[in-house]
Amino acid sequence: MDYKKIAIAVCIVAALVGVGWAAFGLIFGGDAELGLIDFGDDPVEEYDYSSSASNVASELDAFYEIPDQVLIEVDYMFAHQIYLALLVRLNQDLLTLTSYKSESEVDLDWVIDVHDATLEAEEVFALLADVPLPGTNREQYLRYKLGMLESLQISAEGATRLLAASILIGPSGRGLPNLSVDERVQFDGLLRQAAFYFDQADTYLEEEQEVVSSAVSTISLR
């Protein structure tokens, strides 16, 4: 082993380390032996995060706000969908009462069911007929309301005939065999007419639901 070369290398490394510490001290102005940076005693400035958040929220509000016209459209169209669904359910309940498997099913209970269903229909019809139109773009919303009222009127025609048929049975709940030939003809005729109107109303309501669903799918917040 060449001890002479090793001694020379050690001296060179020691010299380089000494130069490095000296340069470090000159650059940062600290103690050359320690090489410490003097950061001083300046206090750390506190940041008001709550004030910043408030400012950001204000800027966001100013940057974007949902237009009133869109808010009105969302309110009216989604409510309209619910109204149509209510009419569909009610119309189906009325249609169910126009058919029977045996004459024994047409009794006092059937008369009560018809009375309750037609009374509910009357209340719903009156409620939906009075639904107000928005103050803006009335022509646009009038189209949807007229479609609903058309279906409602057709269903109401069926409800009127269903109620008339129940009156023939009367509050005593007499059975179909107790009806005279003329009364039986009237009864069956009224039920068939009622079923016809309810079927037509169901078709109209299905079409209106498709139209409204399509319109709702095009609503955009931008």
Side-chain angles (χ1 to χ4, degrees):
M1 180 178 293
D2 192 342
Y3 293 100
K4 183 178 181 180
K5 290 182 178 180
I6 293 176
I8 293 173
V10 170
C11 291
I12 293 174
V13 170
L16 291 175
V17 170
V19 172
W21 278 113
F24 191 84
L26 291 174
I27 293 173
F28 294 101
D31 190 333
E33 294 183 358
L34 298 177
L36 298 179
I37 301 174
D38 184 7
F39 291 100
D41 297 326
D42 295 336
V44 177
E45 181 180 355
E46 295 186 358
Y47 191 77
D48 188 351
Y49 290 97
S50 62
S51 176
S52 176
S54 177
N55 292 336
V56 170
S58 298
E59 291 178 6
L60 288 176
D61 289 340
F63 173 72
Y64 180 72
E65 182 178 356
I66 300 177
D68 290 340
Q69 181 177 339
V70 176
L71 293 174
I72 293 173
E73 185 176 13
V74 170
D75 288 344
Y76 186 87
M77 296 304 292
F78 279 92
H80 195 71
Q81 280 188 313
I82 296 174
Y83 296 149
L84 289 175
L86 177 59
L87 277 177
V88 168
R89 192 270 303 168
L90 183 60
N91 191 73
Q92 285 293 331
D93 290 345
L94 292 169
L95 178 60
T96 300
L97 292 170
T98 63
S99 61
Y100 55 90
K101 295 180 179 179
S102 65
E103 294 185 349
S104 61
E105 295 179 6
V106 182
D107 53 13
L108 181 58
D109 289 336
W110 179 82
V111 172
I112 294 174
D113 289 341
V114 170
H115 176 268
D116 291 343
T118 53
L119 181 61
E120 180 185 4
E122 183 179 0
E123 294 175 351
V124 172
F125 293 164
L127 172 66
L128 299 187
D130 289 338
V131 173
L133 293 173
T136 59
N137 296 333
R138 293 176 64 87
E139 295 79 8
Q140 172 186 349
Y141 303 113
L142 180 61
R143 154 69 184 89
Y144 301 118
K145 182 167 184 178
L146 288 178
M148 180 179 67
L149 292 180
E150 185 177 20
S151 304
L152 186 153
Q153 183 178 9
I154 295 172
S155 186
E157 291 289 341
T160 299
R161 286 158 177 77
L162 179 62
L163 183 60
S166 71
I167 293 175
L168 286 174
I169 302 298
S172 63
R174 59 179 178 161
L176 291 181
N178 303 121
L179 299 180
S180 65
V181 175
D182 182 59
E183 288 175 330
R184 182 60 184 263
V185 171
Q186 291 184 55
F187 179 83
D188 289 338
L190 288 169
L191 284 190
R192 292 188 181 188
Q193 291 178 45
F196 167 77
Y197 285 113
F198 295 142
D199 282 332
Q200 291 297 309
D202 187 64
T203 300
Y204 277 62
L205 287 169
E206 183 177 350
E207 294 174 354
E208 285 301 310
Q209 284 184 310
E210 291 178 358
V211 170
V212 174
S213 294
S214 178
V216 167
S217 66
T218 64
I219 297 177
S220 175
L221 296 180
R222 292 188 175 184

